[in-house]
Amino acid sequence: MTENYGRRFDGRVAVVIGGGRGIGRATSLRLAAEGARVTVVDQAPQFAEETAEEIRTAGGLADSTAVDATDAAAIGRFFYGLGEEHGRVDVLVNCPAHASDTHFERVTESEFDFDMTATLKAPFLCIQAAMHSLLRSTAPSVVSISSVNGLAAFGNEVYGAAKAGLINLHKNLALRYGPEGVRFNIVAPGTIHTRSWESRAAAEPSILEKMAALYPLGRVGTPEDIASAVAFLASSEASWITGTVLTVDGGITAGNGPLISAIFGESFFTSTVGERPRA
Ligand SMILES: NC(=O)c1ccc[n+]([C@@H]2O[C@H](COP(=O)([O-])OP(=O)(O)OC[C@H]3O[C@@H](n4cnc5c(N)ncnc54)[C@H](O)[C@@H]3O)[C@@H](O)[C@H]2O)c1
């Protein structure tokens, strides 16, 4: 692999659910670049294999499997097979989710069920099915992708509730399995420029620029911003961190900028020490 990362995952067995695109793809590439043997799982076989092939082309170790993480029987079979093959799982990363962009008053029961199933039930099923193999690792770690929507109101009520549920699930599991050394952590991203924003950007081309202007750090995030946080939490550098939420959001949940401006005026955010060079 070409990037100059450390080798925190040499000899480790990693599974990335939803690893075919976006944050999952970047995480698969990052874990592999640091030495992990990565199984890329995605409901879209082509996406999964493209990520695995990208890793192998760069000199890493990867294979791919097409599984829908909402399918309990298929996930059970997958983790059973993986346990037989490798004897253990060291790192499990859960990325699947779905948000129906429907006004709260029009959300149908089937949309509610679909969003909850993709966002909360799928990681639950994956963790439950992986437990046997995680318990056979010397340094087992689960990192799941929640969202700032799981911490506060950013629209999409059902998705937000499912993401909040995911956080609570991990806190509970951190306590249940802490004595056995299994760590459970969450990364909560703000807006990340991935495929999921392309359809919104098609309808409103300036949407990402508009959002970038609202972020204290002046940009939306990249999948790699999240991958590096996942890699940290999954690594032994985080060996005393469990049950936590690492917010990776360019500062969007740090406070309420418009409220501060309403109190103190726009000049509150104008620096008095002049311009400084920026990278
Ligand atoms: N993009 C953002 O702005 C953002 C912000 C906060 C949180 N997140 C979270 O990050 C995670 C990844 O989002 P993304 O933007 O990278 O999405 P994405 O659509 O770019 O990629 C998601 C991948 O997961 C796969 N997937 C979805 N459901 C699956 C299932 N049931 N079984 C197997 N594979 C499945 C998809 O095929 C796709 O390859 C999600 O949990 C999302 O809620 C994203």
Side-chain angles (χ1 to χ4, degrees), residues 17-25 41-44 47-48 51 66-71 75 94-99 114 117-119 122 126 144-149 159 163 166 187-197 200 208 211 215 221 223 226 248:
I17 311 289
R21 280 287 184 269
I23 290 167
R25 171 183 164 274
V41 179
D42 205 287
Q43 64 189 359
F47 295 171
T51 302
V67 185
D68 178 347
T70 66
D71 181 339
I75 280 294
N94 292 302
C95 301
H98 187 267
F114 191 78
T117 300
T119 308
C126 291
S144 296
I145 310 300
S146 178
S147 169
V148 293
N149 293 61
Y159 171 79
K163 289 296 196 185
L166 192 62
V187 174
T191 306
I192 306 298
H193 191 171
T194 63
R195 190 184 57 131
S196 48
W197 283 100
R200 287 192 181 112
L208 284 161
M211 283 191 294
Y215 276 80
I226 304 308
V248 184

Side-chain angles (χ1 to χ4, degrees), residues 13-30:
V13 176
V15 181
V16 181
I17 311 289
R21 280 287 184 269
I23 290 167
R25 171 183 164 274
T27 300
S28 300
L29 295 174
R30 178 61 183 264

Side-chain angles (χ1 to χ4, degrees), residues 25-256:
R25 171 183 164 274
T27 300
S28 300
L29 295 174
R30 178 61 183 264
L31 296 176
E34 293 206 40
R37 190 197 199 300
V38 180
T39 297
V40 183
V41 179
D42 205 287
Q43 64 189 359
Q46 187 193 339
F47 295 171
E49 183 47 27
E50 279 170 10
T51 302
E53 180 58 23
E54 200 174 339
I55 290 170
R56 291 191 295 266
T57 302
L61 296 168
D63 57 22
S64 69
T65 306
V67 185
D68 178 347
T70 66
D71 181 339
I75 280 294
R77 280 194 299 276
F78 164 71
F79 277 106
Y80 178 79
L82 200 75
E84 291 285 291
E85 189 181 347
H86 297 295
R88 68 186 196 285
V89 168
D90 301 302
V91 176
L92 169 64
V93 180
N94 292 302
C95 301
H98 187 267
S100 302
D101 274 353
T102 308
H103 187 288
F104 173 73
E105 292 163 16
R106 289 189 294 277
V107 174
T108 64
E109 189 178 354
S110 66
E111 282 175 326
F112 178 93
D113 288 345
F114 191 78
D115 285 4
M116 281 286 170
T117 300
T119 308
L120 180 56
K121 184 175 165 185
F124 163 83
L125 292 174
C126 291
I127 294 167
Q128 196 182 48
M131 270 329 296
H132 182 71
S133 296
L134 285 163
L135 287 165
R136 291 162 79 181
S137 166
T138 54
S141 176
V142 176
V143 183
S144 296
I145 310 300
S146 178
S147 169
V148 293
N149 293 61
L151 301 170
F154 287 94
N156 288 111
E157 287 89 350
V158 179
Y159 171 79
K163 289 296 196 185
L166 192 62
I167 291 170
N168 188 273
L169 175 68
H170 283 60
K171 287 182 183 288
N172 271 284
L173 295 177
L175 263 68
R176 179 181 288 282
Y177 290 107
E180 310 212 49
V182 191
R183 297 184 300 108
F184 290 85
N185 289 296
I186 289 281
V187 174
T191 306
I192 306 298
H193 191 171
T194 63
R195 190 184 57 131
S196 48
W197 283 100
E198 298 299 336
S199 54
R200 287 192 181 112
E204 193 190 340
S206 62
I207 189 167
L208 284 161
E209 278 166 43
K210 277 189 193 162
M211 283 191 294
L214 297 171
Y215 276 80
L217 287 178
R219 67 172 176 88
V220 300
T222 65
E224 291 72 25
D225 288 325
I226 304 308
S228 64
V230 174
F232 165 68
L233 286 173
S235 78
S236 59
E237 287 188 86
S239 62
W240 207 49
I241 300 177
T242 195
T244 200
V245 179
L246 178 51
T247 305
V248 184
D249 71 346
I252 199 73
T253 57
N256 190 322

